[in-house]
């Protein structure tokens, strides 16, 4: 019986309850509070009419991301990165992943010479903060793009397809979907999968924590991820259809 | 008619709607979302069983604060301090003020050799973030202290009295209470007042933005601040009385 | 008898011996060594024909301050901030206060697109370094402005009024003027007051170190500060009248 | 004809010429110059009889990695990270990957309370520096472990299996093995695969640069990676068998 | 006629007027204001009862130096190193030179496990700040050592001999002693020479600014330096003989 | 018998075996691996068509150097400066010396508005890294200049004469040439001498490690240095004559 396997009692292929709340704060062009269970990430999209130096004058836009964690989003207080004097390796790795993932669905020429920055700040962490961040940032991005279209600053929609992300892993020998912290801290393999709504892969990052994972385990994980992303994309659409 | 004076239509001596939501996140020993109108600050209290080096072995505890602002809490996106490589002067000034203010109501010997860190992170800014932070951090502090008492880690209550803070200023020649951003950006004098529930002053920080302020103006501002703090202390009590 | 109250034997309303020595170093446009008793601060005013980015092209000037302390200005050697990798919170707080205070007496449009930087470096510390710095920096500023006028770089005098600062506090229950280190380290309330020569307040920063201070104590402190600033302004004038 | 596909004229499933030179420098416990074509990385293994704070007293060792690139390893000179004031996000991401990969084959209890640091410094870059680094660092690690065994500092061999890494990608629509810079800069999908000699996966990091990659493309890439790692493991063995 | 050669009208082998003022500030164990003409450096010696980690438990003391320049010691304002986030290369080079030079006359075993830090802060710069700093720091060091002897913290005098420093250079083809800024900025060769009172060399740092210098020029420079150091040592003695 | 004096068995006036290998890496305009015995430094010359801000529009070029040491170039692993957050004092001192030395043989007007950066990275250290770096960087510089001439980017040869460097010191009372680590760590006096092929001095940096050195010792050291530089210049020429 699977109920006894996962600490949360979920079935192996079951996502945590996911909620996507748009317009969570009022200043940003897109502002989404996304929850994957107890993981809560505030994702804002900020539009600025400038591009980084390496793109100036090329007629292309830029999409980038920054990631942060409030000091007490975690069980033990984590030192504030601003107080420590800079972003750590984990933060940089995650924000680079979010940025690459979202750029994968944007036609930067159609965006025009402007930058959209996706700030993903974890208010509460319970595993899967980066996948929640990507899933929420996509919705914030769409809201920002809608604003640009309404203001007639862009003509052609620069976004093609939808992007969502989920983690999968092998927990006590069983492939499971959307790991929470209790599972993440004890799993053998942990993989973050970013996919589009056509079932194509955008990013795949798998790590063997305990023993190396076999090809058949990988296949099972990818199938779970595909199911999870399909459900997340449906939830994104639902949220974006709300007025 | 005063309604026409303030952009918000408030009376000169009227606070913005204030809400104090406890247990906003689940990991911290105290976690409060405080709102002064559109200003929203998440205040968490973290208890750690250690003290800074200068206090080791002295049998006293420590209370300190850190302050941060999410990049898009503001109208224009502000660069993330962690990405910039350190906390700026304004941040340091504010977190030092919050720390001093809260220490003013704590008997550090009764607290024992432990540190309570008050993290105040602004989710949305509309003026008065430091006064909202102090007011909310006090409630988070009390929740953390209650936890220590319940766990029988401390015997004597280390907190004496209540602490709250409010801004006052001279806007278009009129002394007003609890400035929002529209007022703050255009006022002549801006003062942050931290008081206790006995009407005593803890901190007073007044700045003449336009012209120097006269003694009679100062008197009027202090009276307004006293009224505001009384109301805030009542709201803190109400919040703390909720189960 | 008050002689027994203050460690220095001063009357409660008595300033320390104050000296203001102009042209202390020769390169700066204004260079003042100010002493409040054993506290000695070198204040230089540097004129540069440029403004910070946020003011470019607006036809306005800028006045800013930096503060530093030689490592052995203090009883115990303090680590050099340059060696520690940056300015600490206290330094930033003080230099922001000095800058705001001096800007309060300058018409920045009349100054034209140039920056005056007031560097206040403490050679010897015995309490009250920030108030000595403000009082001395004002004199250095005037010397720099006189140079600009002589060079016919500005027409209209951009300075209105005089600015001076003094600390006041409650020491052993008695309000006293101009605290030295022995008093500062043991006082209940400590307030720095920046005023102009018209008796108007520019900055007011009061902190309850021991217990909260009452309204009547505040009134007594403000009266002392007014007396002190009047005397300091007279000393500034005297110094500026010397050839 | 495949010769026309790849700029180097290699077959799609062909590695670049690989060389593994042990004892390249004399101070390190392991020192390997690894070349994947024109990519040359110096990998040293340093043994230190201490562990990071989080492991002290736990009877376990640690294996970690640092990565660097000489400023002129690249076509255009890259600014030195030490001069820029810190390691960038790409560097951190890569060194974390190398460290995780090598830890996957080490029994840290058998290693005992000591740290092995793998420094991977790129002397010349032509694509695939991180996979060359992992492949070379494994050999340097083995040399360091052999030294510990010879010195009788450890009894049980802490290393299980071999680890090697290779990049695969889709270049002009064709899955290819071991991308050089010319291919890497123009490919649609880029994947770094770390595997052990049993065909198990240690790390999988795939990124869609152009369009999302399909499941059948992923399968082809994984097959190529498996072939490449098999060849690399054979070359590692050969190098380690040399006296 | 030499009067026309040097901008200051000095003879080629003539020092600037040198003054050495002891007890310039009151907290430091040694505090000396040294002037070489318009170059004024405040040198303090601070005694701390601890040694750096690499010396702990070895029964030896340490002598080290730090160097700084007030922002407006120079003609143009120099950015404050603390504000810039760290000490620059020139500062590090100079403070390492001062530290090495002073250590050369100290028997560190006789000093005992304590550190003497020589802080050399330039109040006004007109060339030759590092040689003035070394010359003044020696006097501050002796005052600090005298204090240790008076307090009977050390028995044997740890200082052997005297140390002084002077610059020499080739200005318009002529070897000259003790360059001021006007000469330093236009000289062909610039050499800083640290010697002891026995005529031995402690440090020699010569730089060809224009063309390479010949052996006979070097000989002439060294002779000048010897003469200058002899005079400086006499002035140090005179200052130390004053009560 | 001198063979017994030096740990390496060299005669007092004997250089270590020196090799100069050009085109060691392929991207840089000049790339030289220089070995002085077991000291191996990779020196690359990078040409960039820009100059630092202080030279813009002046029609002059710039030559600068950076120095680094791989973490395990040394007996004990040295912490990576990029990981430590910046370059240390020793690094800055050395790279400033290399830059000044090479600029001494370059006519910057003839170079035109471009920068040549000499990166000197120590792969293996056994004493004398800075003198090996200068000697090797000269050869890399010439290769870069030859490339500029071949590309007809410059007309007049901007380099006059050759530059080489060697260390000398007093080891066990005997002046010796080209100290290796075993000697350097135990010598009384250590001097780095940079000279040109005409026997002129470019830089002279001597330090008394044990006792002060006398004038006759200095003379002996300078004679040794002259002999060493002559031999090094011949080796540079030989290397540059190879096709």
């Amino acid at each position: 019986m699977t109920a006894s396997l996962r600490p949360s009692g979920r079935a192996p292929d079951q996502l945590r309850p996911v909620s996507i709340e748009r317009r969570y704060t009022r200043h940003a062009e897109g502002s989404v509070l996304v929850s994957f269970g107890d993981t809560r990430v505030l994702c804002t999209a900020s539009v600025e009419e400038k591009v980084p130096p390496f793109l100036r004058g090329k007629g292309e836009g830029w999409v980038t991301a920054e990631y942060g964690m409030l000091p007490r989003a975690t069980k033990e207080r984590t030192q504030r990165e601003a107080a420590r004097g800079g972003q750590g390796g984990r933060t940089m790795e995650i924000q680079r992943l979010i940025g690459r993932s979202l750029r994968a669905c944007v036609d930067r020429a159609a965006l025009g010479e402007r930058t959209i920055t996706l700030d993903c700040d974890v208010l509460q962490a319970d595993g899967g903060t980066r996948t929640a961040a990507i899933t929420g940032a996509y919705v914030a991005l769409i809201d920002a793009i809608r604003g640009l279209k309404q203001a007639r600053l862009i003509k052609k929609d620069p976004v093609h397809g939808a992007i969502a992300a989920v983690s999968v892993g092998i927990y006590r020998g069983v492939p499971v979907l959307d790991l929470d912290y209790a599972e993440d801290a004890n799993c053998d393999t942990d993989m973050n999968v970013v996919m589009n709504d056509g079932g194509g892969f955008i990013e795949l990052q798998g790590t063997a924590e305990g023993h190396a994972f076999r090809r058949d385990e990988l296949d099972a994980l990818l199938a779970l991820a595909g199911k999870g992303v399909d459900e997340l994309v449906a939830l994104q659409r639902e949220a974006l259809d709300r007025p």
Side-chain angles (χ1 to χ4, degrees), chain A:
Chain A
M1 198 188 101
T2 60
S4 60
L5 169 75
R6 306 188 74 173
S8 60
R10 280 186 283 151
D13 66 348
Q14 193 181 348
L15 291 175
R16 289 176 282 182
V18 170
S19 82
I20 298 174
E21 182 180 347
R22 287 162 63 210
R23 303 189 191 94
Y24 184 73
T25 55
R26 70 170 209 189
H27 296 307
E29 284 71 35
S31 175
V32 168
L33 183 74
V34 63
S35 307
F36 278 31
D38 272 333
T39 289
R40 282 155 61 185
V41 185
L42 173 53
C43 309
T44 58
S46 296
V47 180
E48 287 167 303
E49 296 295 315
K50 61 180 182 189
V51 286
F54 68 92
L55 280 180
R56 268 174 214 152
K58 299 201 174 158
E60 282 178 41
W62 189 239
V63 174
T64 187
E66 293 196 7
Y67 173 91
M69 184 112 89
L70 294 196
R72 201 53 198 286
T74 45
K75 278 209 176 141
E76 310 286 316
R77 185 176 184 271
T78 315
Q79 210 196 335
R80 198 175 282 270
E81 292 191 316
R84 216 161 43 190
Q87 296 176 308
R90 180 182 170 276
T91 293
M92 289 207 192
E93 203 170 293
I94 295 176
Q95 67 193 15
R96 285 161 58 89
L97 171 67
I98 302 172
R100 277 198 315 271
S101 297
L102 274 298
R103 277 196 295 280
C105 73
V106 173
D107 173 349
R108 284 164 36 209
L111 178 57
E113 281 210 26
R114 53 179 59 86
T115 297
I116 300 185
T117 303
L118 299 156
D119 285 291
C120 301
D121 287 273
V122 180
L123 303 189
Q124 191 172 277
D126 186 36
T129 62
R130 76 190 74 185
T131 50
I134 292 167
T135 304
Y138 173 77
V139 177
L141 173 69
I142 295 299
D143 268 335
I145 294 286
R146 285 181 178 175
L148 287 170
K149 284 193 286 192
Q150 271 181 322
R152 297 186 185 279
L153 287 163
I154 52 176
K155 289 173 202 165
K156 199 188 139 195
D157 191 335
V159 177
H160 41 84
I163 300 281
V166 76
S167 72
V168 287
I170 295 176
Y171 178 73
R172 305 202 172 176
V174 179
V176 296
L177 177 67
D178 186 23
L179 288 75
D180 56 30
Y181 181 77
E183 293 167 332
D184 193 28
N186 294 291
C187 71
D188 277 335
T189 293
D190 178 15
M191 187 175 299
N192 292 294
V193 185
V194 187
M195 296 176 77
N196 65 17
D197 55 349
F201 294 97
I202 305 295
E203 286 274 342
L204 207 61
Q205 296 199 339
T207 296
E209 303 279 351
H211 67 89
F213 53 97
R214 297 183 314 271
R215 181 56 204 265
D216 62 301
E217 291 174 321
L218 174 59
D219 290 344
L221 291 173
L222 294 176
L224 278 180
K227 175 179 181 293
V229 165
D230 281 351
E231 292 175 27
L232 290 167
V233 167
L235 289 163
Q236 289 174 327
R237 259 184 217 137
E238 212 177 284
L240 284 163
D241 286 347
R242 286 196 289 270

